[in-house]
Amino acid sequence: MNNNRKIDYIKAFGENLRALRNSKKVSMEKLALAAGIEYSQIFDIEHGKINTTISTIHLIATALEIPEKDLFDFTF
């Protein structure tokens, strides 16, 4: 995957996370607290600023009470 596609994928992942979080009516602050991670990390993921780890994805999915695969259910 070239660098531009990688960046697009990371941004699409973040947008999907934001949509899922909003559909659950959970703020970034509440998600961060429930997942045991920093608010700034949620912010950076949702804004496509960082390529997060699989363990963080697991924490986020658990906090949102969704399967991890739902976080990857998007097109870019």
Side-chain angles (χ1 to χ4, degrees):
M1 184 180 294
N2 71 37
N3 199 45
N4 286 338
R5 285 193 47 85
K6 181 179 174 183
I7 291 168
D8 290 344
Y9 188 83
I10 292 167
K11 287 181 181 179
F13 180 89
E15 291 168 2
N16 188 48
L17 170 55
R18 183 180 310 118
L20 290 166
R21 179 181 57 74
N22 286 334
S23 74
K24 295 273 194 171
K25 298 182 176 24
V26 176
S27 68
M28 280 193 275
E29 294 87 355
K30 287 183 180 179
L31 176 56
L33 183 62
I37 59 179
E38 296 291 324
Y39 162 83
S40 61
Q41 192 169 3
I42 298 293
F43 181 91
D44 288 346
I45 294 167
E46 287 193 4
H47 288 86
K49 294 183 177 193
I50 61 172
N51 186 3
T52 193
T53 65
I54 197 89
S55 57
T56 300
I57 290 168
H58 174 73
L59 292 171
I60 290 169
T62 300
L64 288 173
E65 300 178 339
I66 61 172
E68 288 92 348
K69 68 179 181 73
D70 288 2
L71 290 166
F72 295 95
D73 189 13
F74 61 88
T75 55
F76 73 106

